[in-house]
Amino acid sequence: MTDDQKTDANCPCGSGNSYAECCGRYHQGLSAPSAERLMRSRYSAYVVGAIDYLQATTLPAQQHALDLQSMREWSANSTWLGLEVEESQVLGGRPEHALVSFTARWHDGAGAHAQHERSAFVQHDERWYFIDPTVPLKAGRNDPCPCGSGQKYKKCCAIYL
Protein backbone atom coordinates (compact mmCIF):
# COMPACT_ATOMS: atom_id res chain seq x y z
CA MET A 1 0.00 0.00 0.00
CA THR A 2 1.46 3.37 -1.02
CA ASP A 3 1.28 6.42 1.27
CA ASP A 4 -1.55 7.90 -0.87
CA GLN A 5 -3.50 4.64 -0.71
CA LYS A 6 -3.03 4.54 3.07
CA THR A 7 -4.54 8.03 3.39
CA ASP A 8 -7.51 7.47 1.09
CA ALA A 9 -8.30 3.77 1.39
CA ASN A 10 -10.64 2.06 3.79
CA CYS A 11 -8.73 0.59 6.68
CA PRO A 12 -7.81 -3.08 6.18
CA CYS A 13 -9.26 -3.89 9.63
CA GLY A 14 -12.78 -3.60 8.22
CA SER A 15 -13.94 -0.65 10.32
CA GLY A 16 -15.18 1.30 7.29
CA ASN A 17 -13.00 4.29 8.25
CA SER A 18 -9.98 5.46 6.31
CA TYR A 19 -6.64 3.89 7.21
CA ALA A 20 -5.32 7.29 8.35
CA GLU A 21 -8.30 7.80 10.71
CA CYS A 22 -8.22 4.23 11.99
CA CYS A 23 -5.25 1.87 12.35
CA GLY A 24 -2.81 4.30 10.74
CA ARG A 25 -2.98 6.40 13.92
CA TYR A 26 -1.87 3.44 16.00
CA HIS A 27 0.87 2.52 13.55
CA GLN A 28 2.17 6.09 13.99
CA GLY A 29 2.42 5.74 17.79
CA LEU A 30 -1.00 6.37 19.32
CA SER A 31 -1.84 3.68 21.88
CA ALA A 32 -4.79 1.46 20.93
CA PRO A 33 -7.61 2.13 23.42
CA SER A 34 -8.78 -1.50 23.66
CA ALA A 35 -7.63 -5.05 23.01
CA GLU A 36 -9.98 -5.28 20.01
CA ARG A 37 -8.56 -2.09 18.47
CA LEU A 38 -5.04 -3.44 19.05
CA MET A 39 -5.91 -6.75 17.39
CA ARG A 40 -7.46 -4.94 14.41
CA SER A 41 -4.42 -2.69 14.10
CA ARG A 42 -2.12 -5.73 14.22
CA TYR A 43 -4.04 -7.31 11.30
CA SER A 44 -3.70 -4.03 9.41
CA ALA A 45 0.02 -3.98 10.23
CA TYR A 46 0.43 -7.27 8.35
CA VAL A 47 -1.47 -5.78 5.39
CA VAL A 48 0.73 -2.66 5.19
CA GLY A 49 4.00 -4.31 6.27
CA ALA A 50 4.37 -2.52 9.63
CA ILE A 51 6.39 -5.29 11.26
CA ASP A 52 8.04 -2.95 13.77
CA TYR A 53 4.54 -2.18 15.07
CA LEU A 54 3.80 -5.88 15.46
CA GLN A 55 6.96 -6.26 17.52
CA ALA A 56 6.24 -3.19 19.65
CA THR A 57 2.70 -4.35 20.48
CA THR A 58 3.72 -7.85 21.53
CA LEU A 59 4.28 -8.40 25.26
CA PRO A 60 7.74 -6.89 25.91
CA ALA A 61 9.02 -10.12 27.50
CA GLN A 62 8.35 -11.88 24.17
CA GLN A 63 9.56 -9.26 21.67
CA HIS A 64 13.16 -10.50 21.49
CA ALA A 65 12.04 -14.00 20.45
CA LEU A 66 9.83 -12.99 17.51
CA ASP A 67 10.95 -14.17 14.07
CA LEU A 68 10.74 -10.75 12.42
CA GLN A 69 12.10 -11.95 9.07
CA SER A 70 9.39 -14.61 8.79
CA MET A 71 6.79 -12.03 9.76
CA ARG A 72 8.09 -9.67 7.03
CA GLU A 73 7.99 -12.44 4.44
CA TRP A 74 4.47 -13.54 5.40
CA SER A 75 3.28 -9.93 5.26
CA ALA A 76 4.88 -9.22 1.87
CA ASN A 77 4.03 -12.55 0.21
CA SER A 78 0.35 -12.61 1.13
CA THR A 79 -2.71 -10.94 -0.29
CA TRP A 80 -4.79 -10.05 2.73
CA LEU A 81 -8.48 -10.76 2.16
CA GLY A 82 -10.22 -9.59 5.29
CA LEU A 83 -10.79 -9.74 9.01
CA GLU A 84 -13.89 -10.69 10.94
CA VAL A 85 -14.03 -10.10 14.69
CA GLU A 86 -16.43 -12.56 16.30
CA GLU A 87 -16.10 -11.62 19.97
CA SER A 88 -14.16 -9.30 22.23
CA GLN A 89 -14.24 -9.88 25.98
CA VAL A 90 -12.68 -7.61 28.58
CA LEU A 91 -11.98 -9.89 31.52
CA GLY A 92 -11.12 -7.31 34.12
CA GLY A 93 -8.61 -7.86 36.87
CA ARG A 94 -5.40 -6.07 37.69
CA PRO A 95 -3.85 -5.83 35.22
CA GLU A 96 -6.74 -5.80 32.76
CA HIS A 97 -6.86 -8.81 30.43
CA ALA A 98 -8.97 -9.41 27.33
CA LEU A 99 -9.67 -12.12 24.76
CA VAL A 100 -10.50 -11.40 21.12
CA SER A 101 -11.84 -14.10 18.78
CA PHE A 102 -11.44 -13.45 15.07
CA THR A 103 -10.91 -14.96 11.63
CA ALA A 104 -8.23 -13.56 9.33
CA ARG A 105 -8.22 -14.49 5.65
CA TRP A 106 -5.35 -14.30 3.15
CA HIS A 107 -4.07 -15.81 -0.06
CA ASP A 108 -0.49 -16.83 -0.77
CA GLY A 109 1.40 -19.16 -3.11
CA ALA A 110 -0.22 -22.18 -1.45
CA GLY A 111 -3.78 -20.89 -1.93
CA ALA A 112 -6.47 -19.28 0.19
CA HIS A 113 -6.37 -19.55 3.98
CA ALA A 114 -8.55 -18.64 6.94
CA GLN A 115 -7.22 -18.69 10.47
CA HIS A 116 -9.59 -18.61 13.41
CA GLU A 117 -7.91 -17.50 16.61
CA ARG A 118 -8.74 -16.48 20.16
CA SER A 119 -5.95 -14.17 21.25
CA ALA A 120 -5.07 -12.97 24.74
CA PHE A 121 -4.12 -9.39 25.58
CA VAL A 122 -2.92 -7.62 28.70
CA GLN A 123 -2.84 -3.93 29.58
CA HIS A 124 0.30 -2.61 31.23
CA ASP A 125 1.36 1.02 31.75
CA GLU A 126 -1.78 2.24 29.92
CA ARG A 127 -0.95 0.16 26.80
CA TRP A 128 -2.45 -3.05 25.48
CA TYR A 129 -0.11 -5.88 24.44
CA PHE A 130 -0.67 -9.11 22.52
CA ILE A 131 0.43 -12.24 24.40
CA ASP A 132 1.93 -14.40 21.64
CA PRO A 133 1.14 -18.08 22.26
CA THR A 134 3.94 -19.14 19.86
CA VAL A 135 6.63 -17.50 22.03
CA PRO A 136 7.09 -19.28 25.35
CA LEU A 137 7.01 -17.08 28.41
CA LYS A 138 9.99 -18.02 30.53
CA ALA A 139 8.30 -18.04 33.88
CA GLY A 140 7.48 -20.73 36.40
CA ARG A 141 4.05 -20.78 37.96
CA ASN A 142 5.27 -18.98 41.09
CA ASP A 143 7.60 -16.54 39.29
CA PRO A 144 6.62 -12.90 38.77
CA CYS A 145 4.44 -12.53 35.68
CA PRO A 146 6.39 -11.40 32.59
CA CYS A 147 3.74 -8.73 31.90
CA GLY A 148 5.17 -6.66 34.75
CA SER A 149 2.09 -6.78 36.97
CA GLY A 150 4.04 -7.88 40.04
CA GLN A 151 1.70 -10.85 40.50
CA LYS A 152 2.66 -14.50 40.30
CA TYR A 153 2.50 -15.82 36.72
CA LYS A 154 -0.08 -18.49 37.69
CA LYS A 155 -2.45 -15.77 38.99
CA CYS A 156 -2.00 -13.44 36.04
CA CYS A 157 -1.31 -14.12 32.34
CA ALA A 158 -1.01 -17.92 32.69
CA ILE A 159 -4.77 -18.05 33.31
CA TYR A 160 -5.48 -16.81 29.77
CA LEU A 161 -3.01 -18.87 27.77
PDB file of all heavy atoms in Angstrom, residues 55-75:
ATOM      1  N   GLN A  55       6.006  -5.975  16.451  1.00  0.00           N
ATOM      2  CA  GLN A  55       6.960  -6.265  17.520  1.00  0.00           C
ATOM      3  C   GLN A  55       6.658  -5.403  18.749  1.00  0.00           C
ATOM      4  O   GLN A  55       6.612  -5.904  19.873  1.00  0.00           O
ATOM      5  CB  GLN A  55       8.387  -6.031  17.044  1.00  0.00           C
ATOM      6  CG  GLN A  55       9.424  -6.357  18.105  1.00  0.00           C
ATOM      7  CD  GLN A  55      10.842  -6.122  17.632  1.00  0.00           C
ATOM      8  OE1 GLN A  55      11.100  -5.296  16.760  1.00  0.00           O
ATOM      9  NE2 GLN A  55      11.768  -6.859  18.221  1.00  0.00           N
ATOM     10  N   ALA A  56       6.441  -4.121  18.545  1.00  0.00           N
ATOM     11  CA  ALA A  56       6.236  -3.193  19.654  1.00  0.00           C
ATOM     12  C   ALA A  56       4.957  -3.471  20.434  1.00  0.00           C
ATOM     13  O   ALA A  56       4.866  -3.119  21.612  1.00  0.00           O
ATOM     14  CB  ALA A  56       6.216  -1.753  19.145  1.00  0.00           C
ATOM     15  N   THR A  57       3.968  -4.106  19.812  1.00  0.00           N
ATOM     16  CA  THR A  57       2.696  -4.351  20.485  1.00  0.00           C
ATOM     17  C   THR A  57       2.567  -5.783  21.003  1.00  0.00           C
ATOM     18  O   THR A  57       1.508  -6.177  21.476  1.00  0.00           O
ATOM     19  CB  THR A  57       1.509  -4.013  19.559  1.00  0.00           C
ATOM     20  OG1 THR A  57       1.608  -4.789  18.361  1.00  0.00           O
ATOM     21  CG2 THR A  57       1.466  -2.532  19.250  1.00  0.00           C
ATOM     22  N   THR A  58       3.648  -6.536  20.905  1.00  0.00           N
ATOM     23  CA  THR A  58       3.721  -7.855  21.528  1.00  0.00           C
ATOM     24  C   THR A  58       4.249  -7.656  22.943  1.00  0.00           C
ATOM     25  O   THR A  58       5.046  -6.751  23.191  1.00  0.00           O
ATOM     26  CB  THR A  58       4.653  -8.781  20.721  1.00  0.00           C
ATOM     27  OG1 THR A  58       4.123  -8.935  19.395  1.00  0.00           O
ATOM     28  CG2 THR A  58       4.793 -10.152  21.365  1.00  0.00           C
ATOM     29  N   LEU A  59       3.824  -8.491  23.878  1.00  0.00           N
ATOM     30  CA  LEU A  59       4.280  -8.402  25.262  1.00  0.00           C
ATOM     31  C   LEU A  59       5.799  -8.215  25.284  1.00  0.00           C
ATOM     32  O   LEU A  59       6.516  -8.996  24.652  1.00  0.00           O
ATOM     33  CB  LEU A  59       3.878  -9.669  26.014  1.00  0.00           C
ATOM     34  CG  LEU A  59       4.096  -9.672  27.514  1.00  0.00           C
ATOM     35  CD1 LEU A  59       3.201  -8.641  28.197  1.00  0.00           C
ATOM     36  CD2 LEU A  59       3.811 -11.060  28.072  1.00  0.00           C
ATOM     37  N   PRO A  60       6.314  -7.172  25.943  1.00  0.00           N
ATOM     38  CA  PRO A  60       7.744  -6.887  25.915  1.00  0.00           C
ATOM     39  C   PRO A  60       8.639  -8.085  26.245  1.00  0.00           C
ATOM     40  O   PRO A  60       9.697  -8.247  25.630  1.00  0.00           O
ATOM     41  CB  PRO A  60       7.910  -5.756  26.927  1.00  0.00           C
ATOM     42  CG  PRO A  60       6.616  -5.010  26.820  1.00  0.00           C
ATOM     43  CD  PRO A  60       5.579  -6.103  26.651  1.00  0.00           C
ATOM     44  N   ALA A  61       8.217  -8.951  27.146  1.00  0.00           N
ATOM     45  CA  ALA A  61       9.024 -10.118  27.501  1.00  0.00           C
ATOM     46  C   ALA A  61       9.151 -11.112  26.347  1.00  0.00           C
ATOM     47  O   ALA A  61      10.007 -12.002  26.383  1.00  0.00           O
ATOM     48  CB  ALA A  61       8.424 -10.821  28.716  1.00  0.00           C
ATOM     49  N   GLN A  62       8.327 -10.970  25.309  1.00  0.00           N
ATOM     50  CA  GLN A  62       8.354 -11.881  24.165  1.00  0.00           C
ATOM     51  C   GLN A  62       8.976 -11.256  22.914  1.00  0.00           C
ATOM     52  O   GLN A  62       9.288 -11.966  21.966  1.00  0.00           O
ATOM     53  CB  GLN A  62       6.934 -12.332  23.823  1.00  0.00           C
ATOM     54  CG  GLN A  62       6.277 -13.138  24.912  1.00  0.00           C
ATOM     55  CD  GLN A  62       4.859 -13.508  24.529  1.00  0.00           C
ATOM     56  OE1 GLN A  62       4.048 -12.637  24.182  1.00  0.00           O
ATOM     57  NE2 GLN A  62       4.557 -14.791  24.582  1.00  0.00           N
ATOM     58  N   GLN A  63       9.148  -9.953  22.892  1.00  0.00           N
ATOM     59  CA  GLN A  63       9.560  -9.257  21.674  1.00  0.00           C
ATOM     60  C   GLN A  63      10.879  -9.768  21.101  1.00  0.00           C
ATOM     61  O   GLN A  63      11.020  -9.893  19.884  1.00  0.00           O
ATOM     62  CB  GLN A  63       9.648  -7.753  21.919  1.00  0.00           C
ATOM     63  CG  GLN A  63       8.305  -7.122  22.144  1.00  0.00           C
ATOM     64  CD  GLN A  63       8.365  -5.651  22.491  1.00  0.00           C
ATOM     65  OE1 GLN A  63       9.430  -5.030  22.484  1.00  0.00           O
ATOM     66  NE2 GLN A  63       7.227  -5.070  22.806  1.00  0.00           N
ATOM     67  N   HIS A  64      11.842 -10.067  21.958  1.00  0.00           N
ATOM     68  CA  HIS A  64      13.160 -10.497  21.490  1.00  0.00           C
ATOM     69  C   HIS A  64      13.120 -11.841  20.767  1.00  0.00           C
ATOM     70  O   HIS A  64      13.996 -12.145  19.963  1.00  0.00           O
ATOM     71  CB  HIS A  64      14.136 -10.588  22.665  1.00  0.00           C
ATOM     72  CG  HIS A  64      13.805 -11.721  23.592  1.00  0.00           C
ATOM     73  ND1 HIS A  64      12.760 -11.642  24.505  1.00  0.00           N
ATOM     74  CD2 HIS A  64      14.342 -12.950  23.724  1.00  0.00           C
ATOM     75  CE1 HIS A  64      12.686 -12.797  25.153  1.00  0.00           C
ATOM     76  NE2 HIS A  64      13.633 -13.607  24.715  1.00  0.00           N
ATOM     77  N   ALA A  65      12.111 -12.663  21.022  1.00  0.00           N
ATOM     78  CA  ALA A  65      12.045 -14.003  20.448  1.00  0.00           C
ATOM     79  C   ALA A  65      11.196 -14.084  19.181  1.00  0.00           C
ATOM     80  O   ALA A  65      11.059 -15.157  18.601  1.00  0.00           O
ATOM     81  CB  ALA A  65      11.506 -14.975  21.491  1.00  0.00           C
ATOM     82  N   LEU A  66      10.642 -12.984  18.731  1.00  0.00           N
ATOM     83  CA  LEU A  66       9.835 -12.993  17.511  1.00  0.00           C
ATOM     84  C   LEU A  66      10.724 -13.210  16.293  1.00  0.00           C
ATOM     85  O   LEU A  66      11.838 -12.683  16.220  1.00  0.00           O
ATOM     86  CB  LEU A  66       9.077 -11.673  17.356  1.00  0.00           C
ATOM     87  CG  LEU A  66       8.015 -11.377  18.405  1.00  0.00           C
ATOM     88  CD1 LEU A  66       7.462  -9.968  18.201  1.00  0.00           C
ATOM     89  CD2 LEU A  66       6.894 -12.407  18.347  1.00  0.00           C
ATOM     90  N   ASP A  67      10.237 -13.957  15.324  1.00  0.00           N
ATOM     91  CA  ASP A  67      10.955 -14.174  14.069  1.00  0.00           C
ATOM     92  C   ASP A  67      10.510 -13.079  13.091  1.00  0.00           C
ATOM     93  O   ASP A  67       9.601 -13.275  12.286  1.00  0.00           O
ATOM     94  CB  ASP A  67      10.646 -15.570  13.527  1.00  0.00           C
ATOM     95  CG  ASP A  67      11.437 -15.916  12.286  1.00  0.00           C
ATOM     96  OD1 ASP A  67      12.064 -15.011  11.682  1.00  0.00           O
ATOM     97  OD2 ASP A  67      11.426 -17.101  11.907  1.00  0.00           O
ATOM     98  N   LEU A  68      11.153 -11.934  13.201  1.00  0.00           N
ATOM     99  CA  LEU A  68      10.736 -10.755  12.422  1.00  0.00           C
ATOM    100  C   LEU A  68      10.893 -10.978  10.924  1.00  0.00           C
ATOM    101  O   LEU A  68      10.063 -10.500  10.135  1.00  0.00           O
ATOM    102  CB  LEU A  68      11.519  -9.523  12.877  1.00  0.00           C
ATOM    103  CG  LEU A  68      11.321  -9.134  14.343  1.00  0.00           C
ATOM    104  CD1 LEU A  68      12.186  -7.933  14.697  1.00  0.00           C
ATOM    105  CD2 LEU A  68       9.859  -8.844  14.636  1.00  0.00           C
ATOM    106  N   GLN A  69      11.911 -11.698  10.509  1.00  0.00           N
ATOM    107  CA  GLN A  69      12.105 -11.947   9.073  1.00  0.00           C
ATOM    108  C   GLN A  69      10.947 -12.779   8.523  1.00  0.00           C
ATOM    109  O   GLN A  69      10.422 -12.479   7.451  1.00  0.00           O
ATOM    110  CB  GLN A  69      13.448 -12.636   8.810  1.00  0.00           C
ATOM    111  CG  GLN A  69      13.748 -12.804   7.332  1.00  0.00           C
ATOM    112  CD  GLN A  69      13.743 -11.483   6.561  1.00  0.00           C
ATOM    113  OE1 GLN A  69      14.165 -10.444   7.058  1.00  0.00           O
ATOM    114  NE2 GLN A  69      13.252 -11.519   5.333  1.00  0.00           N
ATOM    115  N   SER A  70      10.531 -13.801   9.238  1.00  0.00           N
ATOM    116  CA  SER A  70       9.387 -14.611   8.791  1.00  0.00           C
ATOM    117  C   SER A  70       8.115 -13.782   8.754  1.00  0.00           C
ATOM    118  O   SER A  70       7.290 -13.930   7.844  1.00  0.00           O
ATOM    119  CB  SER A  70       9.185 -15.816   9.706  1.00  0.00           C
ATOM    120  OG  SER A  70      10.235 -16.725   9.551  1.00  0.00           O
ATOM    121  N   MET A  71       7.965 -12.901   9.732  1.00  0.00           N
ATOM    122  CA  MET A  71       6.790 -12.029   9.757  1.00  0.00           C
ATOM    123  C   MET A  71       6.801 -11.101   8.543  1.00  0.00           C
ATOM    124  O   MET A  71       5.760 -10.884   7.905  1.00  0.00           O
ATOM    125  CB  MET A  71       6.757 -11.230  11.059  1.00  0.00           C
ATOM    126  CG  MET A  71       6.509 -12.106  12.290  1.00  0.00           C
ATOM    127  SD  MET A  71       6.842 -11.279  13.861  1.00  0.00           S
ATOM    128  CE  MET A  71       5.445 -10.178  13.990  1.00  0.00           C
ATOM    129  N   ARG A  72       7.975 -10.541   8.211  1.00  0.00           N
ATOM    130  CA  ARG A  72       8.086  -9.667   7.030  1.00  0.00           C
ATOM    131  C   ARG A  72       7.730 -10.427   5.756  1.00  0.00           C
ATOM    132  O   ARG A  72       7.011  -9.919   4.892  1.00  0.00           O
ATOM    133  CB  ARG A  72       9.505  -9.112   6.918  1.00  0.00           C
ATOM    134  CG  ARG A  72       9.783  -7.952   7.800  1.00  0.00           C
ATOM    135  CD  ARG A  72      11.177  -7.331   7.536  1.00  0.00           C
ATOM    136  NE  ARG A  72      11.482  -6.403   8.585  1.00  0.00           N
ATOM    137  CZ  ARG A  72      12.085  -6.713   9.733  1.00  0.00           C
ATOM    138  NH1 ARG A  72      12.494  -7.939   9.959  1.00  0.00           N
ATOM    139  NH2 ARG A  72      12.290  -5.793  10.650  1.00  0.00           N
ATOM    140  N   GLU A  73       8.251 -11.638   5.637  1.00  0.00           N
ATOM    141  CA  GLU A  73       7.989 -12.444   4.437  1.00  0.00           C
ATOM    142  C   GLU A  73       6.511 -12.794   4.320  1.00  0.00           C
ATOM    143  O   GLU A  73       5.939 -12.704   3.234  1.00  0.00           O
ATOM    144  CB  GLU A  73       8.856 -13.703   4.458  1.00  0.00           C
ATOM    145  CG  GLU A  73      10.325 -13.401   4.241  1.00  0.00           C
ATOM    146  CD  GLU A  73      11.229 -14.604   4.463  1.00  0.00           C
ATOM    147  OE1 GLU A  73      10.716 -15.738   4.645  1.00  0.00           O
ATOM    148  OE2 GLU A  73      12.463 -14.405   4.457  1.00  0.00           O
ATOM    149  N   TRP A  74       5.886 -13.194   5.428  1.00  0.00           N
ATOM    150  CA  TRP A  74       4.468 -13.536   5.396  1.00  0.00           C
ATOM    151  C   TRP A  74       3.645 -12.315   5.001  1.00  0.00           C
ATOM    152  O   TRP A  74       2.742 -12.388   4.168  1.00  0.00           O
ATOM    153  CB  TRP A  74       4.039 -14.069   6.754  1.00  0.00           C
ATOM    154  CG  TRP A  74       2.642 -14.619   6.793  1.00  0.00           C
ATOM    155  CD1 TRP A  74       1.978 -15.285   5.794  1.00  0.00           C
ATOM    156  CD2 TRP A  74       1.733 -14.555   7.890  1.00  0.00           C
ATOM    157  NE1 TRP A  74       0.708 -15.634   6.214  1.00  0.00           N
ATOM    158  CE2 TRP A  74       0.535 -15.205   7.500  1.00  0.00           C
ATOM    159  CE3 TRP A  74       1.814 -14.028   9.169  1.00  0.00           C
ATOM    160  CZ2 TRP A  74      -0.567 -15.332   8.332  1.00  0.00           C
ATOM    161  CZ3 TRP A  74       0.713 -14.155  10.005  1.00  0.00           C
ATOM    162  CH2 TRP A  74      -0.457 -14.804   9.588  1.00  0.00           C
ATOM    163  N   SER A  75       3.977 -11.172   5.576  1.00  0.00           N
ATOM    164  CA  SER A  75       3.279  -9.932   5.260  1.00  0.00           C
ATOM    165  C   SER A  75       3.399  -9.594   3.766  1.00  0.00           C
ATOM    166  O   SER A  75       2.401  -9.324   3.101  1.00  0.00           O
ATOM    167  CB  SER A  75       3.852  -8.792   6.105  1.00  0.00           C
ATOM    168  OG  SER A  75       3.342  -7.555   5.696  1.00  0.00           O
TER     169      SER A  75
END
